[in-house]
Structures are given as C-alpha cells and as structure tokens.
Amino acid sequence: MPQVFAYACDDKTSVFHRTTIEIREPADNEIYFDIQYAGICHSDIHTARGEWGPVHYPLVPGHELVGVVKKVGDKVTKFKAGDKVGVGCMFASCKECEYCKAGEEQFCNNPHAYFTYGTDQNGNPTTGGYAQGFTVREDFACRIPDAIPFETSAPLLCAGITTYSPLKRWQAGPGKKVAVLGMGGLGHMGVQIAAAMGAEVHVISHSRSKEEDGKRLGASYYHATSEPGTLEALRDTFDIILCTVSASDLNYTAYLNMLKPYGVFVDVGLPEEPASINLSALVHGNRVMAGSMIGGIDETQEMLDFCAEHGIHPVIEMIVGEDITEAYNKVTASQVRYRYVIDTATFND
Ligand code: NAP
Ligand code: ZN
C-alpha cells in the first residue's frame, strides 16, 4: 500500500494541515497515478465547511485531479504507465443501469454514483485530490490531451464538464445569446466554452473588476449588477443563462425575465439556502428553469478534446499545500483569478 502526503481538515473551520494517507494497490481493472495538480472547487469549500450536511472528518477534498499513471492492473487496456490522466467528481458506478449505459454515470441508480471524496461501496470514507496519489477504475479516468497545458488542466475535470454539459444540452451555438452569471471557476470556463461553441457571450458579474478578463476569454458584452438598472435593461435578451453563482441571494425572478420566450435559465450553482422565484416569470414566455450536474465520463473526455481542439484551458493561480486554508477564504470572497490549483509536489517540503 503506497503511503502519500495529503492535506486534510478536521472540522468546519476548514483549516488544512499535512497528513499521510494510504492508497490501495490497483486491482486488475484499476490504475494508480501520482497526482500532480488538484483544483479547488467551491464544492470542496461547501463540503469542508459542513454547508451541505454532515462530513466525515478528517476530510481530504478535491475532485479535479490530474497526474501521471504509475501502475496499471493486469486487465487494464485504456492506459499505460506514463500516461497523463484526470479524475473528476466520480470514481465508480454500477455501469449496468439505464443511466450508466447511456453514459450518464452521475445518475446511476444502482444504488448511486460514488463521489470522489465521500464513501466507498462499503461505506468507508474516501480521499480526494489534495493528495499525492489516487487509485481508480480505468473507466473513471480520462486522458488529458497534450495540447492542454498540463498544469492548467485539473479544473476541467469539474468546472469544465459542469459548464460544457449544459451549454451543449441547451444548444449554445451560432445565433444564440448566452449569459454566464458569476465569473468564478465555473463561470470563466463557461465563457470560454460558450464562445468556442459559437454563441454570443455576455458576462453578468457583481462588478466591473473582471471585465477585461471576461472579454479576453471570449465575452462580447459585460454587465455589472452593482450598477443600477442593469437587470431591467437586459429584459427579454437571452436564449440561455448559465448560473454559476455559489450564493442564493440572487433575484432569480429578474434573471428569468432576462430570457426570451422559450429561453432557459440553467443553474449549476449549489448554495446551501433555498431560493424563491415568482412563477409568473416562467409562465410568461414559456421559459424554462433547469439544473445540471457535472456530466458523464464519455462527455468529460469529449469536453477535454473540445478544449484541446479550441485551444482553451482554465486560468489558474498555482498554490502550495500550506496555502489551501487561505485560498478557501479568497474563493468565498470572489478573489481568485480564476481557479486555485495545488501543486502536490510541494507537499514534500
Ligand atoms: P467560485 O469560483 O466561487 O465562483 C462563484 C461566482 O459566483 C463568484 O466568482 C462570483 O462571481 C459569484 N458570486 C459569489 N457570491 C455571490 C453573491 N452573493 N451574489 C452574486 N454572485 C455571487 O465557485 P465555483 O467553483 O465556480 O462554483 C460555483 C457553484 O457551482 C458552487 O456553488 C459549487 O458548489 C457549484 N458546483 C456545481 C456543480 C454541478 O455539478 N452543478 C459542479 C461544481 C460546482 P462574480 O464575482 O463574477 O459576481
Ligand atoms: Zn467541483
């Protein structure tokens, strides 16, 4: 059993410290890889701080992990030692139910998909990406294309697929006006992906502070909600609004009113508090309010290949293990530009 360094927190204060964890040897159908980079998703923060319910502490979060394959089981055909791989939010599912067969492992109902830091099939807690190693079934790992700068690639495994999947499903493309609400880790990927799909992209952000970046990443228009009249001026404008906001104090009714008839407000943000909307904003114009959760493994690979083909990748700030605690505070204060990525080699220091 390889022992590796990892960073864990012990309670809701989400103060991280270095620790040692054991990673299992790969079984016949599994690979073991050295994690090199791990992204910090806002979901890690919601989880570590107990915002989504009870947590198994000590917690080693991280569901955006990339690294290089070290060992493969006897029956592995997809990967060999030296390959660059990534794992996202899931590490297993039944692969037999109707959803798994359709490539939508995230909806597995037999009994459910297993999430990267949660519990395994025996109910034991599992560790995630803030660690130096990971063992996973080969069919839950994706190949990282060479065209994507490796050190930037980790956030694609969650932020990339979580924005690609709804943009594809709701047909962002030429002739469509897409607004990305909130330009954080998910939002800045949503802007790039929607632009690469050919849509006219708008950013709707708190302030003007990200305007230059938004336009550089592919937005044609940028709106700041801190400026009076912004929401009203955008009534009946968009085909799709992709909401990546992590807080629920939004005026959802005003955003629904920004949709054209048949337009879609698709939410990926997961704030802890419930929200309220005025249903008349849905009824007028036959508008749709939808949600979207990550994407399946094949679609995740498709997203990686799409990003490689279009020359897009996350904008990251690289940090060391000792910076994780502070990074959490900066993410919740919307100060990250646009994803923190942990260099796990620094865990040896
Ligand atoms: P993030 O980097 O913190 O970005 C969230 C953005 O929301 C911020 O940059 C900010 O954008 C905006 N925002 C924050 N507080 C706000 C407020 N009070 N009012 C209005 N806007 C606010 O977070 P992330 O990692 O992108 O994740 C975003 C959300 O998606 C989280 O809730 C996360 O748990 C969820 N998530 C869902 C899935 C899924 O499968 N559906 C997957 C991953 C993550 P501006 O500064 O531009 O306003
Ligand atoms: Zn995530």
Side-chain angles (χ1 to χ4, degrees):
M1 298 273 262
Q3 290 243 350
V4 300
F5 286 128
Y7 269 76
C9 67
D10 296 335
D11 56 37
K12 285 182 183 187
T13 59
S14 65
V15 173
F16 281 84
H17 59 85
R18 192 174 73 167
T19 185
T20 306
I21 57 171
E22 283 195 355
I23 307 289
R24 67 175 187 283
E25 289 291 342
D28 280 355
N29 62 346
E30 290 184 325
I31 60 172
Y32 170 82
F33 64 99
D34 285 332
I35 299 175
Q36 294 192 351
Y37 303 107
I40 295 182
C41 178
H42 207 119
S43 300
D44 300 346
I45 303 175
H46 290 305
T47 306
R49 294 186 171 172
E51 292 170 1
W52 288 347
V55 186
H56 292 278
Y57 296 110
L59 177 74
V60 177
H63 59 207
E64 297 180 335
L65 37 152
V66 298
V68 174
V69 176
K70 255 303 184 34
K71 287 185 195 169
V72 298
D74 288 345
K75 296 197 175 131
V76 167
T77 55
K78 195 172 155 189
F79 299 108
K80 58 179 187 329
D83 285 351
K84 289 187 284 185
V85 293
V87 168
C89 298
M90 301 178 280
F91 67 85
S93 71
C94 81
K95 286 281 185 186
E96 284 168 5
C97 72
E98 61 176 300
Y99 299 105
C100 285
K101 279 190 184 148
E104 295 179 322
E105 296 88 350
Q106 68 274 32
F107 305 136
C108 175
N109 62 9
N110 185 20
H112 54 75
Y114 290 89
F115 292 96
T116 303
Y117 51 94
T119 48
D120 66 13
Q121 290 88 334
N122 302 316
N124 297 316
T126 57
T127 56
Y130 304 0
Q132 291 181 318
F134 201 75
T135 296
V136 67
R137 275 161 50 171
E138 63 169 333
D139 51 358
F140 277 81
C142 293
R143 191 174 295 285
I144 307 297
D146 287 333
I148 299 174
F150 196 41
E151 67 281 6
T152 71
S153 63
L156 294 173
L157 278 304
C158 175
I161 183 60
T162 301
T163 49
Y164 179 86
S165 183
L167 287 168
K168 183 179 171 199
R169 169 159 187 229
W170 295 105
Q171 299 172 330
K176 296 285 180 69
K177 291 188 186 199
V178 175
V180 176
L181 187 45
M183 204 173 92
L186 268 56
H188 95 289
M189 284 313 306
V191 170
Q192 296 186 73
I193 291 168
M197 288 174 169
E200 175 186 296
V201 180
H202 297 237
V203 171
I204 304 178
S205 179
H206 276 98
S207 72
R208 291 262 158 211
S209 66
K210 302 174 184 174
E211 181 163 11
E212 208 174 296
D213 291 341
K215 290 193 171 160
R216 185 170 46 81
L217 295 175
S220 303
Y221 300 90
Y222 187 100
H223 314 278
T225 55
S226 55
E227 294 168 6
T230 298
L231 304 190
E232 295 73 16
L234 291 170
R235 275 183 85 102
D236 305 314
T237 303
F238 300 112
D239 298 284
I240 302 168
I241 299 176
L242 176 65
C243 179
T244 72
V245 172
S246 51
S248 60
D249 53 346
L250 287 186
N251 182 348
Y252 290 96
T253 304
Y255 287 107
L256 288 171
N257 281 327
M258 288 183 191
L259 293 171
K260 293 179 187 170
Y262 302 104
V264 182
F265 179 101
V266 56
D267 178 71
V268 293
L270 285 164
E272 61 179 309
E273 298 297 335
S276 89
I277 58 165
N278 185 334
L279 289 170
S280 75
L282 274 185
V283 171
H284 291 115
N286 294 18
R287 295 162 172 139
V288 179
M289 192 164 197
S292 191
M293 186 176 99
I294 50 173
I297 300 298
D298 286 351
E299 195 178 33
T300 304
Q301 187 65 56
E302 179 185 306
M303 173 278 308
L304 288 163
D305 296 340
F306 176 92
C307 290
E309 187 190 328
H310 291 271
I312 57 183
H313 59 77
V315 175
I316 63 144
E317 294 188 62
M318 192 68 76
I319 61 169
V320 304
E322 286 298 310
D323 294 337
I324 298 171
T325 304
E326 191 193 353
Y328 271 36
N329 297 329
K330 288 187 170 169
V331 172
T332 50
S334 295
Q335 285 167 3
V336 55
R337 299 289 186 273
Y338 283 88
R339 198 58 137 191
Y340 286 117
V341 169
I342 308 161
D343 177 355
T344 65
T346 64
F347 295 4
N348 297 325
D349 298 344

